[in-house]
Amino acid sequence: MKGFAMLSIGKVGWIEKEKPAPGPFDAIVRPLAVAPCTSDIHTVFEGAIGERHNMILGHEAVGEVVEVGSEVKDFKPGDRVVVPAITPDWRTSEVQRGYHQHSGGMLAGWKFSNVKDGVFGEFFHVNDADMNLAHLPKEIPLEAAVMIPDMMTTGFHGAELANIKLGDTVCVIGIGPVGLMSVAGANHLGAGRIFAVGSRKHCCDIALEYGATDIINYKNGDIVEQILKATDGKGVDKVVIAGGDVHTFAQAVKMIKPGSDIGNVNYLGEGDNIDIPRSEWGVGMGHKHIHGGLCPGGRLRMERLIDLVFYKRVDPSKLVTHVFRGFDNIEKAFMLMKDKPKDLIKPVVILA
Ligand code: NDP
Ligand code: ZN
């Protein structure tokens, strides 16, 4: 079978591989829609998690089951499924500790395009199908459905990590597709005022549609000053970081009140250390909590997100700005994610 792969750091291309076979609990899935992720760009072009050779890329897919192992109970060939970006080994101590994302080691629940071939192949392998797949209702279009495996779960997790409560004033730093879902998540969790930090007009417009009340352009001056000015010097209750770099944490710490939470879902591709400003961190005693996490995966999380879409609480299709058709266009969609033209939020490739 054919797949679009990371050949080595900085290099991508098409390769041929054996079609995968399922173990007793596993499934083989044919993708019906896929999307490239900014994380793939960090992985390939920044070498952020180290060298990978001839690894098929991609971790955002909905698909059709083509084969299942002898022990799979709830899925059969022909079923349409949402495949989470994170597909943990559920029989691990990390799961018992409450962190399935790290089953088997740090970040090891993230398998596709990290430790095994991803979803940009004609077929891909899903471990523990009954625990890691979710049925896709026929009413949800593929373009919207493929925003569930990563964009919705990650953006919403940013809002969860920031521990947002009713009436909180929240700042979401970064409003690409992930941050836009954090804005929607903050809105659903009951935030009062929501600042959205970005620069591209299209992203700002969609942020307002998802519930942002104020837009801050980081290219118009220091965002800390802009936030403090807009809040009469008080700052915000919660911050979600979904963009920026290692320096963004200092800004978050400076703009947040004591007794507060910062939730980071940004994948830090570069830099050795994160600076925390000593004084604004309450000289170590400010109760300004910093959380950072990989998005939740697995079946139950997907089923809950599917409900949010099915019952029209969230419309993730607003994220989709570019739709391609056909397997060969995966490369074009992938390169768009690298180049980030002004009108791009998220490209999708339909393979059905
Ligand atoms: P995008 O690149 O599309 O969006 C990044 C956003 O950050 C844009 O709004 C951009 O502004 C803004 N931004 C860039 N620089 C700054 C800055 N210096 N200060 C403030 N804002 C800034 O990324 P995605 O939304 O696709 O992904 C966001 C991050 O989430 C990525 O690092 C990705 O790898 C990561 N990720 C993490 C996952 C997890 O499980 N934790 C899963 C999936 C993704 P603009 O473009 O408007 O100028
Ligand atoms: Zn991703």
Side-chain angles (χ1 to χ4, degrees):
M1 64 166 207
K2 193 162 93 158
F4 185 69
M6 172 170 176
L7 306 179
S8 60
I9 291 174
K11 281 199 186 137
V12 290
W14 292 95
I15 59 170
E16 287 285 332
K17 284 209 173 179
E18 292 267 302
K19 182 182 168 193
F25 292 96
D26 308 337
I28 303 303
V29 174
R30 174 174 79 86
L32 296 174
V34 296
C37 178
T38 304
S39 300
D40 292 317
I41 304 302
H42 292 304
T43 301
V44 174
F45 296 104
E46 293 166 3
I49 50 173
E51 188 57 279
R52 300 286 189 278
H53 287 293
N54 299 332
M55 176 185 72
I56 296 178
L57 288 163
H59 52 257
E60 300 183 15
V62 291
E64 180 187 284
V65 174
V66 293
E67 202 179 339
V68 293
S70 57
E71 302 301 319
V72 174
K73 294 185 176 61
D74 297 341
F75 297 89
K76 59 182 187 321
D79 285 357
R80 283 155 62 105
V81 289
V82 174
V83 185
I86 306 305
T87 52
D89 296 314
W90 290 94
R91 294 166 57 89
T92 55
S93 61
E94 290 83 2
V95 171
Q96 294 195 351
R97 295 180 64 208
Y99 291 92
H100 68 259
Q101 294 95 322
H102 308 290
S103 64
M106 191 159 66
L107 305 181
W110 167 28
K111 298 185 186 304
F112 295 126
S113 71
N114 177 16
V115 295
K116 79 173 194 186
D117 283 327
V119 301
F120 294 168
E122 288 175 286
F123 301 95
F124 59 85
H125 170 273
V126 181
N127 59 297
D128 204 343
D130 283 331
M131 292 297 283
N132 283 325
L133 292 176
H135 290 283
L136 171 62
K138 60 180 181 326
E139 292 83 357
I140 301 180
L142 293 174
E143 285 94 329
V146 76
M147 294 298 102
I148 295 171
D150 192 1
M151 296 301 95
M152 278 185 72
T153 186
T154 304
F156 277 49
H157 195 48
E160 290 165 331
L161 288 171
N163 198 19
I164 291 168
K165 298 272 191 284
L166 276 174
D168 271 342
T169 296
V170 176
C171 178
V172 177
I173 304 178
I175 45 169
V178 170
L180 287 169
M181 285 294 97
S182 297
V183 170
N187 194 26
H188 276 276
L189 291 174
R193 191 174 187 185
I194 304 176
F195 291 95
V197 179
S199 79
R200 289 179 289 149
K201 182 169 184 319
H202 189 51
C203 295
C204 296
D205 291 344
I206 301 292
L208 292 170
E209 290 185 26
Y210 279 131
T213 54
D214 302 69
I215 299 293
I216 301 279
N217 186 335
Y218 69 94
K219 294 187 176 163
N220 288 350
D222 181 13
I223 61 173
V224 179
E225 281 171 22
Q226 294 190 61
I227 291 280
L228 291 178
K229 188 167 171 221
T231 56
D232 296 327
K234 294 194 187 92
V236 297
D237 298 303
K238 307 287 164 62
V239 174
V240 180
I241 303 178
D245 54 26
V246 289
H247 305 296
T248 309
F249 290 82
Q251 295 174 312
V253 167
K254 287 178 185 172
M255 71 171 68
I256 205 164
K257 295 171 190 172
S260 54
D261 297 270
I262 297 166
N264 176 75
V265 284
N266 200 21
Y267 174 168
L268 299 165
E270 294 172 310
D272 290 330
N273 296 297
I274 291 162
D275 288 330
I276 306 299
R278 183 184 61 85
S279 178
E280 288 91 345
W281 203 43
V283 292
M285 298 177 282
H287 290 107
K288 296 188 176 186
H289 306 112
I290 302 173
H291 315 266
L294 181 65
C295 62
R299 178 174 178 170
L300 181 63
R301 175 74 167 186
M302 292 303 110
E303 288 174 348
R304 289 176 170 218
L305 297 176
I306 288 167
D307 274 359
L308 285 172
V309 180
F310 186 86
Y311 292 105
K312 303 197 185 317
R313 307 280 183 201
V314 179
D315 176 9
S317 66
K318 289 176 199 262
L319 302 177
V320 180
T321 51
H322 295 62
V323 179
F324 296 94
R325 284 179 193 277
F327 207 68
D328 293 342
N329 275 320
I330 289 176
E331 182 167 11
K332 202 179 274 176
F334 182 85
M335 294 319 282
L336 267 185
M337 214 57 188
K338 177 168 186 274
D339 300 337
K340 298 258 159 82
K342 276 205 174 334
D343 61 341
L344 179 92
I345 300 181
K346 193 82 180 174
V348 162
V349 188
I350 303 293
L351 308 166

